[in-house]
Amino acid sequence: MEIACTDLTHVLRSERRFKYTGYSKSFHMPGRDKHIKRRWNFGGHDWEIRVYPHGGEPSAPSWVAINVVLLSECAVAVVTTIRGCLVDPEGVREPSEEICQSVAFRKPQDKSSQMLLMPWYTLNKSRYLKDDSFIVQCTLEVLKELPDIPEPEVHVPLPTSNLHQHFAELLQSQMGADVTFLVSGESFAAHKYILAVRSRVFKAAFLGDMIERGSECVEIKDMEAVVFKALLHFIYTDTVLEFEQQEGAEAMITDTVPESGQRDEAHEQAASVMALAQHLLAAADRYGLDRLKLICASKLYDGIKVDTAATTLALAEQYNCWELQKRCADFITKTYARNSSLDAVAATEGTSGRD
């Protein structure tokens, strides 16, 4: 006899990452319970994730810790499993040991106990701390009662793709590399077939009749090492690490006004990323990487300012980025119409970004 089984509950799962920048400054933050918080809407409820850079409880002052607070009303207890760990900013190393806690939230301001992720003296010596920043990964799993419907469909969440992480590890390890590039005094090991698959220019060089076909060492002229490094990273992972790091910094969880030093550091980072985008646009055009070219154009599109408009316009014209060209022209026109100093725009023309 066939026996039917009906599901009564379902688990909803959401995972987010939060970047904490300025870790060294957190030791000077006043108050033992100082934390940074970020709201999170999930499973029909409002939550708050709190990140403690050096602990919030007297028993654990030297740990990076998190906890979760329920902000919204609930008719019944919200049974939730919380998972937390630190992740490698470069996506190469496995996440730290995952800390897990199950909590039944019954009313607003109910909170979990602090989850101790890693002591600061271990974090300081680990690869999870990079550029004075670390990334916390938090997962919420909420137990939901299913409505009374026949044979409810259960969706099993698929794991996120980590193919790009494996290729990033391959590039970093240099395992099986068969070509070395010399760029501005630095060397970069890579794999000819991966380059050929991703770039028609490299395909012609390594699989065609060009002199590089049998070469184990290739010199790249007229390009900075940092630009070629970003180019290689994109070829292997389809991402620009510096762009992602800047976006993470802009979305950094904070409930206070940043200090002037932090603002200056953020402005310097933004200027550095914009300069990289200008040079990387030229490199993408040079090696036939159309997707990278569009990514760089989009980054420049969103970052047009008085001191970059003229240079970006020149690059857009040179590399046939029509939307970017129109955006620059509109920006310069509007700046002039607002009686702003058009000389400030013109004075920057040709000073940076040309490859």
Side-chain angles (χ1 to χ4, degrees):
M1 181 179 65
E2 182 177 339
I3 300 177
C5 180
T6 301
D7 291 333
L8 300 178
T9 57
H10 180 47
V11 175
L12 300 179
R13 184 176 187 274
S14 180
E15 179 180 286
R16 288 194 178 183
R17 292 182 177 183
F18 304 91
K19 183 173 183 179
Y20 191 103
T21 301
Y23 171 66
S24 61
K25 298 180 178 61
S26 66
F27 289 92
H28 305 291
M29 299 165 73
R32 186 170 56 194
D33 194 40
K34 188 64 178 178
H35 59 269
I36 304 298
K37 57 189 178 183
R38 183 71 174 271
R39 292 177 69 96
W40 186 353
N41 182 273
F42 166 68
H45 300 283
D46 289 324
W47 308 86
E48 184 175 85
I49 172 75
R50 295 179 178 178
V51 179
Y52 299 80
H54 45 83
E57 296 181 353
S59 60
S62 302
W63 287 70
V64 173
I66 63 170
N67 69 352
V68 173
V69 181
L70 177 67
L71 300 180
S72 55
E73 298 282 350
C74 53
V76 296
V78 183
V79 181
T80 307
T81 298
I82 307 165
R83 304 180 189 275
C85 63
L86 298 179
V87 296
D88 183 357
E90 297 181 347
V92 175
R93 186 177 180 179
E94 292 296 321
S96 66
E97 180 182 357
E98 187 175 72
I99 307 301
C100 181
Q101 182 182 147
S102 294
V103 184
F105 295 92
R106 292 181 169 82
K107 62 182 183 302
Q109 299 306 316
D110 275 359
K111 62 182 179 180
S112 68
S113 59
Q114 282 197 13
M115 302 170 64
L116 307 181
L117 303 185
M118 183 174 292
W120 66 264
Y121 50 83
T122 300
L123 176 64
N124 288 345
K125 297 182 291 185
S126 74
R127 293 172 61 181
Y128 299 109
L129 184 65
K130 182 177 177 59
D131 298 329
D132 204 29
S133 305
F134 62 84
I135 298 176
V136 171
Q137 178 173 290
C138 183
T139 304
L140 295 183
E141 296 177 352
V142 176
L143 184 65
K144 300 286 289 186
E145 182 177 335
L146 290 173
D148 187 15
I149 56 176
E151 298 186 9
E153 185 177 348
V154 177
H155 299 281
V156 179
L158 295 176
T160 56
S161 173
N162 60 355
L163 181 64
H164 66 288
Q165 296 176 357
H166 290 300
F167 274 91
E169 185 176 357
L170 178 65
L171 176 63
Q172 185 177 27
S173 68
Q174 303 181 11
M175 182 175 59
D178 55 0
V179 63
T180 299
F181 293 94
L182 299 179
V183 188
S184 298
E186 296 187 33
S187 61
F188 301 90
H191 307 78
K192 290 182 179 180
Y193 280 102
I194 292 179
L195 300 177
V197 167
R198 296 282 283 159
S199 164
R200 58 181 178 270
V201 176
F202 282 127
K203 181 178 181 180
F206 296 131
L207 303 183
D209 298 326
M210 300 177 66
I211 59 174
E212 290 88 354
R213 179 185 178 97
S215 300
E216 295 183 358
C217 185
V218 177
E219 183 178 4
I220 303 295
K221 299 180 180 180
D222 303 324
M223 186 178 297
E224 296 178 6
V226 66
V227 177
F228 189 78
K229 181 179 180 181
L231 183 80
L232 270 186
H233 184 84
F234 175 83
I235 288 176
Y236 279 73
T237 67
D238 215 36
T239 62
V240 181
L241 182 61
E242 291 79 2
F243 293 175
E244 292 186 343
Q245 289 175 340
Q246 185 203 22
E247 291 169 1
E250 291 174 349
M252 182 185 66
I253 48 177
T254 179
D255 59 351
T256 61
V257 178
E259 299 176 1
S260 60
Q262 291 177 307
R263 290 197 300 269
D264 293 342
E265 182 179 342
H267 291 157
E268 290 178 5
Q269 182 184 13
S272 176
V273 168
M274 291 301 292
L276 175 63
Q278 292 174 342
H279 289 287
L280 204 52
L281 175 65
D285 184 80
R286 177 174 173 177
Y287 288 101
L289 297 169
D290 296 334
R291 173 174 162 78
L292 177 58
K293 186 175 175 180
L294 289 173
I295 291 174
C296 293
S298 177
K299 175 61 67 172
L300 294 170
Y301 185 95
D302 294 332
I304 298 173
K305 296 181 180 179
V306 170
D307 57 347
T308 63
T311 299
T312 302
L313 176 60
L315 286 170
E317 293 174 345
Q318 182 177 355
Y319 298 114
N320 301 319
C321 301
W322 308 123
E323 289 295 328
L324 181 59
Q325 181 179 343
K326 182 178 182 300
R327 174 66 175 253
C328 290
D330 290 345
F331 177 87
I332 293 173
T333 300
K334 291 177 181 178
T335 301
Y336 180 76
R338 290 196 301 266
N339 294 322
S340 297
S341 175
L342 192 61
D343 291 339
V345 175
T348 65
E349 185 171 4
T351 59
S352 64
R354 295 293 188 93
D355 194 351

